[in-house]
Amino acid sequence: MSRSLEMTVFVAIVDAGSFVGAADALGMSKAAVSRHIVALESRLGVRLLQRTTRRLSLTEEGQIFYQRAREVLNAMDEAESTVSERALEPGGRIRINVPVSYGIACLAPLWSGFMARYPKVELDISLNDRVVDLIEEGYDMAVRISALPSSSLICRRLATTRMMLCASPDYLSRRGTPTTPTELLHHDTLTYTLLANHEEWYFQGQEGQVRTRIRPKVLSNNGDTCRMIALQGGGITLQPDFILGADVRRGELTELLPDYKTQELGVYAVFPSRRQLSLKVRHMVDYLTQALNH
């Protein structure tokens, strides 16, 4: 007997809650379903199901085997769909959530290229810095920027970004240039409130990691707002390079504390479930990975 068929029958019984329900779902007779389970339990040498006239329940071994069997069957389904879908052209709508500033600066220029490559795909793009619930709000994927991705989600790293500590030459001429992180406590700082610790900034120096408290002059949930205030001489801000990099290259902002490294963050594509990763989403992730690292 096929081991995969035995697993399929066993999982179907658990999902349906009965031998009869599994038989209906699989198009088998109840006797055939019973034979598969007897063979499976005999081969494993353990009882997986407790069967009474009124009730069907899993043994401890059955619970363990069910979880692993479900993973194996899911992996088989995904392998088959991956191969079969390669010959298909992706189509349909992708609902994607992206951070506001990164979405405008880095992703907006890429969407037309994706549409040209995959004309049957429709894009529904939401820009929001709030961490959305992908399942509850119906998103196929999201782009998130963080030091570590959420352990509860499936993710793939698309790119990286480096934090930059910057101020305008005008501000520095008036208030002086800090030479150590601890001096930031005495400066006007502009902080992004959606950072996990927005009143404590992190640096890496010769002495190891340095954490410094700040007293924010401005708090905002939008990084571009902090950038604009910094450009106008309003203070020192810590923002990703995709927000401040061009200003530094033009000389409109000055990067500070050259002897200290700032944090590097990952840019991740995240999904609610590996099993639900469709062809169109896989093509989107491959496209973004290639485009962002070109």
Side-chain angles (χ1 to χ4, degrees), residues 42-92:
S42 176
R43 182 165 57 81
L44 296 177
V46 295
R47 181 174 290 278
L48 301 174
L49 296 165
Q50 296 286 7
R51 302 182 278 280
T52 66
T53 54
R54 293 187 175 183
R55 193 164 172 267
L56 181 71
S57 62
L58 287 169
T59 64
E60 184 179 353
E61 291 81 5
Q63 187 68 252
I64 296 170
F65 188 75
Y66 173 77
Q67 296 296 333
R68 299 305 299 270
R70 168 61 72 188
E71 292 174 5
V72 170
L73 294 175
N74 286 348
M76 291 171 61
D77 287 345
E78 184 179 354
E80 290 180 358
S81 64
T82 299
V83 172
S84 63
E85 285 178 345
R86 286 178 66 87
L88 302 176
E89 183 178 0

Side-chain angles (χ1 to χ4, degrees), residues 30 81 83 97 119-120 164 225:
K30 181 175 178 295
S81 64
V83 172
N97 176 264
K120 292 184 180 180
M164 302 180 76
T225 297

Side-chain angles (χ1 to χ4, degrees), residues 100-101 129-130 191-194 219-226:
V100 176
S101 297
D129 287 336
R130 174 177 60 87
T191 189
Y192 178 61
T193 55
L194 296 183
L219 300 97
S220 175
N221 66 350
N222 177 259
D224 283 301
T225 297
C226 296

Side-chain angles (χ1 to χ4, degrees), residues 102 106 144-147 157-164 239-245 262-268:
Y102 192 80
C106 300
R144 292 184 181 167
I145 301 172
S146 64
R157 189 165 175 147
L158 301 175
T160 60
T161 184
R162 183 177 66 85
M163 300 296 285
M164 302 180 76
Q239 298 292 329
D241 53 16
F242 62 83
I243 292 181
L244 302 181
T262 50
Q263 191 175 25
E264 185 173 275
L265 303 177
V267 180
Y268 297 94

Side-chain angles (χ1 to χ4, degrees), residues 37-239:
I37 293 304
V38 169
L40 176 61
E41 290 181 329
S42 176
R43 182 165 57 81
L44 296 177
V46 295
R47 181 174 290 278
L48 301 174
L49 296 165
Q50 296 286 7
R51 302 182 278 280
T52 66
T53 54
R54 293 187 175 183
R55 193 164 172 267
L56 181 71
S57 62
L58 287 169
T59 64
E60 184 179 353
E61 291 81 5
Q63 187 68 252
I64 296 170
F65 188 75
Y66 173 77
Q67 296 296 333
R68 299 305 299 270
R70 168 61 72 188
E71 292 174 5
V72 170
L73 294 175
N74 286 348
M76 291 171 61
D77 287 345
E78 184 179 354
E80 290 180 358
S81 64
T82 299
V83 172
S84 63
E85 285 178 345
R86 286 178 66 87
L88 302 176
E89 183 178 0
R93 178 170 298 180
I94 302 177
R95 291 201 70 218
I96 179 171
N97 176 264
V98 302
V100 176
S101 297
Y102 192 80
I104 294 171
C106 300
L107 298 179
L110 304 180
W111 301 132
S112 60
F114 180 84
M115 291 187 295
R117 187 177 297 183
Y118 305 107
K120 292 184 180 180
V121 176
E122 300 171 1
L123 300 181
D124 182 350
I125 305 163
S126 171
L127 278 73
N128 196 323
D129 287 336
R130 174 177 60 87
V131 177
V132 302
D133 188 311
L134 299 184
I135 297 174
E136 288 293 325
E137 300 182 46
Y139 286 102
D140 297 296
M141 64 173 286
V143 174
R144 292 184 181 167
I145 301 172
S146 64
L148 292 171
S150 170
S151 59
S152 65
L153 295 169
I154 307 302
C155 70
R156 177 169 163 184
R157 189 165 175 147
L158 301 175
T160 60
T161 184
R162 183 177 66 85
M163 300 296 285
M164 302 180 76
L165 184 74
C166 297
S168 71
D170 172 64
Y171 174 87
L172 297 174
S173 67
R174 288 185 289 106
R175 298 292 304 276
T177 301
T179 57
T180 65
T182 55
E183 293 178 31
L184 295 173
L185 189 61
H186 309 294
H187 281 267
D188 294 338
T189 48
L190 321 167
T191 189
Y192 178 61
T193 55
L194 296 183
L195 284 175
N197 294 301
H198 56 267
E199 295 189 10
E200 189 173 48
W201 287 350
Y202 300 84
F203 303 90
Q204 193 73 27
Q206 291 183 349
E207 66 274 41
Q209 187 182 72
V210 179
R211 299 185 179 189
T212 183
R213 298 286 295 177
I214 59 170
R215 295 193 184 98
K217 186 79 169 181
V218 174
L219 300 97
S220 175
N221 66 350
N222 177 259
D224 283 301
T225 297
C226 296
R227 166 186 173 266
M228 186 57 67
I229 297 172
L231 284 168
Q232 295 171 349
I236 298 172
T237 192
L238 181 68
Q239 298 292 329

